[in-house]
Amino acid sequence: MTEEAPARGASMDTGKIQSPSSQVLEQFDDAPSEEDMHTLRRVSGKINWAAYTIAFCELCERFSYYGSSILYTNFIQWPLPEGSNTGAGFEGQSGALGMGQRASTGLGLFNMFFAYVMPLLGAYIADAHLGRYKTIHVAIAISTIAHVILTAAAAPSVIVKSHSSFAAFIIGLLILCIGTGFFKANISPLLAEQNTDTRMRVEVRNGERVLVDPAVTNTRIFLYFYFAINIGSLTGQIAMVYVEKYVGFWLAFFLPTVLFLVSPIVLFFNRKRYILSPPTGSVLSKFFRMFGYVMRGKWTLNFAKLKREFSWDKARPSHVPLSERPPWMTYDDAWVDEVRRGLKACKVFLFLPLFHLAYNQMTNNLTSQAAVMELNGVPNDIIQNLNPISIIIMIPFMDHVLYPGLRKLGISFTPIKRMTLGFFFGALAMVAAAVMQYYIYKLSPCGNYAADPDCSGPAPINVWAQVVPYIFIGIAEIFTNVTSYEYAYSKAPVNMKSLVMSVNLFMSAFASAVGQAFTPLSGDPLLVWNYGVVAVLAFLGGVGFWFCFKKLDKEEDKWNTITKSEFQGKDFGSAARAEEAH
């Protein structure tokens, strides 16, 4: 909870910032006292209707992306069925290129890597030049082109020529990653911007004094944002898997575009209802200049000395006489605090690749694992929909039962606690997958080579046993992924929200790159080792995450209630200098 802190002049290296009690509480009649902050039950504010229309657009985009990417494993791994020119497997296994499990795993990881590197570029374009709204429209146009190319790669006249099909497929995959990255970097910040609750306040609801907390509102917004993500991915994956199985890959790559093209229509007709942040120029370059200014004369390999002498106070305009300020120092003191808070969020994200290593198993190796179990007519790549199904069920439970129940009990289930618990559920999912793989090898007629195309039959284990790892991964996502979106948005400076969100997303890309090192384990007879090693890494990641950031957990309120900067970017500096000169 918030503790009284020194005034703004205190060194930021100690983590001490001005308390909300000395700034905000005296300005509003409904502002909470220090006692209220500790004792009142925290509740959510109202979620604006405009936010739901943006969540619907995310649903459409996820239908498009997952409806296509779920096809990649079978398209790459398995050969074209005999006599087929569409790849449809009907009662057998759908396929196209026949490149094997290691190739499908490697390309699947590359797809996730590139899709989550692109948000860095998409965030820069939005924050500095186009704004989030226009950048999202650009992303939709790019993704539409990608779907056309993927459809061409799977066309009956092309799919029978594996080299031509593969070349077109890779081009479509790359372009779709660009569109996805541009979209992902900006859609969730645009959604969260519709939250008009910007300060804590006391209200009376049903005779009870409660504390309306913007952080709780953000938690609900991102929970239902993730709910929309999984509705889109679930419907896209189920529908396209059956289209792939009974019609062919060409139609399965084409149909997701139809729903996706509804997004720009929804955005256009609601544009006047949205709260939109304008582009602010190259704020990132200003940050690097600010950091260089603080570090001037302090560069050293002696990290203990650097930590002792480093202070963000040097970068505060109020500490620099007007005549000595560099031309680029056009921000205010509060922006320094916002930047430092954003950097703390980026440090938190550094652990996420260990979580994503576990999550990424779902989209490749677990899909391949299903193919060697008893499917009873169910397509192997439809089983992973157990994950979004579990999320769709669990999110309302979290929002209406678990989180409010914990708040009523006075338990502060803060972002750091939630993310830590997510690591452990991810580890449990991998333990379950390792145990299942062990019994597949034990019971398969082909022993440790259960995925051999010439194997006489599957292991006698019903594929629905995979419900255990998929549900655990779903719970882990709610605690870690959803919360990381919320954390990225709430801790970033207003004019760098897309950028900080893209840093969060980039951790998934980094995990995919690290996952390439596990590709040699992504095949028989080493898959038990694959799941086991990932389980250990996820568990150790959770332990390390908690011990590194438990101090931030105690300071959650303090960082959420720092003074909001008035620095917007473009033209702020000249206006501020002119005002100060007068």
Side-chain angles (χ1 to χ4, degrees):
M1 304 299 285
T2 302
E3 59 186 49
E4 195 66 34
R8 183 167 297 282
S11 170
M12 290 300 294
D13 292 63
T14 62
K16 296 179 180 178
I17 58 176
Q18 192 163 359
S19 168
S21 62
S22 60
Q23 294 181 6
V24 178
L25 305 188
E26 63 187 21
Q27 298 178 25
F28 302 97
D29 293 337
D30 58 355
S33 66
E34 287 292 328
E35 182 180 359
D36 291 335
M37 296 279 286
H38 288 273
T39 59
L40 294 185
R41 182 170 66 90
R42 301 190 180 208
V43 298
S44 168
K46 182 181 179 182
I47 300 177
N48 291 337
W49 174 249
Y52 291 104
T53 66
I54 297 171
F56 174 76
C57 293
E58 170 69 357
L59 181 155
C60 295
E61 189 274 340
R62 291 292 86 182
F63 184 101
S64 158
Y65 177 76
Y66 280 111
S68 298
S69 62
I70 194 172
L71 309 173
Y72 294 171
T73 297
N74 282 350
F75 189 85
I76 298 166
Q77 178 175 348
W78 301 100
L80 196 68
E82 187 175 351
S84 172
N85 64 351
T86 64
F90 297 98
E91 298 307 316
Q93 178 63 54
S94 299
L97 302 179
M99 298 174 66
Q101 184 172 348
R102 285 189 173 90
S104 69
T105 299
L107 285 171
L109 289 170
F110 174 77
N111 170 59
M112 287 184 283
F113 170 78
F114 196 49
Y116 288 103
V117 166
M118 283 295 102
L120 293 170
L121 179 59
Y124 171 77
I125 291 172
D127 283 342
H129 299 292
L130 295 182
R132 283 184 265 279
Y133 181 80
K134 290 182 180 178
T135 305
I136 287 170
H137 281 283
V138 171
I140 292 170
I142 293 171
S143 295
T144 302
I145 294 171
H147 279 289
V148 172
I149 297 173
L150 287 171
T151 302
S157 60
V158 178
I159 200 171
V160 294
K161 303 171 184 175
S162 59
H163 293 294
S164 300
S165 178
F166 178 69
F169 171 77
I170 289 296
I171 293 171
L173 181 150
L174 292 173
I175 295 176
L176 185 59
C177 286
I178 295 171
T180 297
F182 282 26
F183 194 94
K184 289 293 289 180
N186 295 293
I187 194 69
S188 55
L190 179 64
L191 173 88
E193 279 180 339
Q194 311 315 307
N195 178 14
T196 55
D197 275 327
T198 57
R199 62 179 181 83
M200 292 186 182
R201 65 183 186 279
V202 176
E203 287 185 1
V204 178
R205 296 186 180 180
N206 299 321
E208 177 191 7
R209 291 180 75 243
V210 294
L211 183 61
V212 180
D213 187 348
V216 176
T217 311
N218 276 335
T219 297
R220 295 197 71 212
I221 286 174
F222 281 102
L223 274 175
Y224 285 103
F225 172 73
Y226 215 72
F227 184 86
I229 285 176
N230 283 276
I231 288 286
S233 65
L234 176 66
T235 52
Q237 289 178 156
I238 290 178
M240 294 313 105
V241 162
Y242 278 100
V243 171
E244 164 213 307
K245 188 171 182 65
Y246 294 109
V247 180
F249 285 101
W250 69 270
L251 187 61
F253 282 132
F254 173 74
L255 286 178
T257 316
V258 177
L259 181 59
F260 194 22
L261 290 178
V262 176
S263 295
I265 299 172
V266 172
L267 291 171
F268 177 79
F269 282 106
N270 288 280
R271 67 192 186 283
K272 294 182 179 179
R273 300 179 184 178
Y274 297 145
I275 299 169
L276 302 176
S277 296
T280 57
S282 185
V283 178
L284 183 61
S285 65
K286 194 176 294 291
F287 159 72
F288 283 119
R289 286 184 172 184
M290 182 178 73
F291 181 74
Y293 185 80
V294 172
M295 288 294 295
R296 188 180 300 168
K298 292 185 173 62
W299 295 100
T300 176
L301 295 178
N302 187 337
F303 292 106
K305 179 182 178 182
L306 178 62
K307 184 177 180 180
R308 186 171 59 251
E309 295 182 356
F310 183 89
S311 173
W312 286 102
D313 285 341
K314 185 178 178 181
R316 300 184 189 281
S318 64
H319 288 197
V320 183
L322 182 61
S323 60
E324 298 178 13
R325 288 183 200 173
W328 51 264
M329 192 176 283
T330 58
Y331 51 81
D332 54 15
D333 281 9
W335 195 66
V336 179
D337 291 338
E338 287 189 354
V339 167
R340 185 166 185 255
R341 183 179 65 181
L343 288 174
K344 285 183 176 291
C346 291
K347 285 169 61 178
V348 167
F349 301 151
L350 291 177
F351 274 80
L352 290 181
L354 294 176
F355 170 80
H356 288 299
L357 277 176
Y359 170 77
N360 289 348
Q361 301 300 311
M362 180 181 64
T363 57
N364 43 66
N365 283 325
L366 284 178
T367 300
S368 298
Q369 184 186 71
V372 299
M373 302 172 73
E374 289 185 340
L375 292 165
N376 298 316
V378 177
N380 71 305
D381 45 3
I382 205 171
I383 306 301
Q384 65 174 268
N385 287 290
L386 289 168
N387 171 255
I389 289 171
S390 67
I391 291 173
I392 290 168
I393 293 171
M394 291 299 298
I395 281 179
F397 172 78
M398 300 283 190
D399 181 48
H400 294 289
V401 180
L402 180 62
Y403 291 168
L406 291 174
R407 287 194 291 267
K408 274 190 175 183
L409 294 173
I411 298 173
S412 181
F413 198 27
T414 55
I416 298 299
K417 291 188 181 78
R418 277 180 266 152
M419 293 172 75
T420 301
L421 191 57
F423 276 89
F424 296 142
F425 271 103
L428 284 174
M430 291 301 98
V431 170
V435 171
M436 200 169 312
Q437 190 66 46
Y438 169 80
Y439 281 101
I440 287 172
Y441 285 157
K442 185 175 180 180
L443 300 175
S444 171
C446 300
N448 289 352
Y449 293 89
D452 189 326
D454 297 325
C455 188
S456 60
I461 302 173
N462 193 295
V463 72
W464 296 108
Q466 283 193 321
V467 68
V468 178
Y470 278 121
I471 287 180
F472 280 157
I473 280 288
I475 296 172
E477 280 186 81
I478 295 173
F479 286 141
T480 300
N481 266 6
V482 178
T483 307
S484 71
Y485 290 160
E486 172 194 338
Y487 205 76
Y489 180 83
S490 64
K491 300 299 184 287
V494 172
N495 45 25
M496 297 176 73
K497 288 192 180 295
S498 287
L499 179 64
V500 175
M501 183 65 71
S502 70
V503 172
N504 173 32
L505 295 171
F506 177 73
M507 293 301 106
S508 181
F510 185 75
S512 297
V514 173
Q516 293 287 359
F518 288 82
T519 301
L521 298 179
S522 298
D524 296 333
L526 303 173
L527 284 164
V528 174
W529 281 98
N530 174 76
Y531 297 125
V533 170
V534 172
V536 171
L537 290 175
F539 176 80
L540 293 177
V543 173
F545 182 86
W546 173 251
F547 280 102
C548 286
F549 301 118
K550 61 181 180 180
K551 182 179 178 182
L552 276 181
D553 187 68
K554 296 176 181 178
E555 299 173 343
E556 181 67 16
D557 277 342
K558 187 166 65 175
W559 286 110
N560 283 342
T561 52
I562 63 175
T563 301
K564 185 178 178 180
S565 171
E566 296 180 1
F567 170 57
Q568 296 300 313
K570 291 179 179 177
D571 301 325
F572 177 85
S574 57
R577 287 174 183 275
E579 182 179 343
E580 189 166 348
H582 283 85

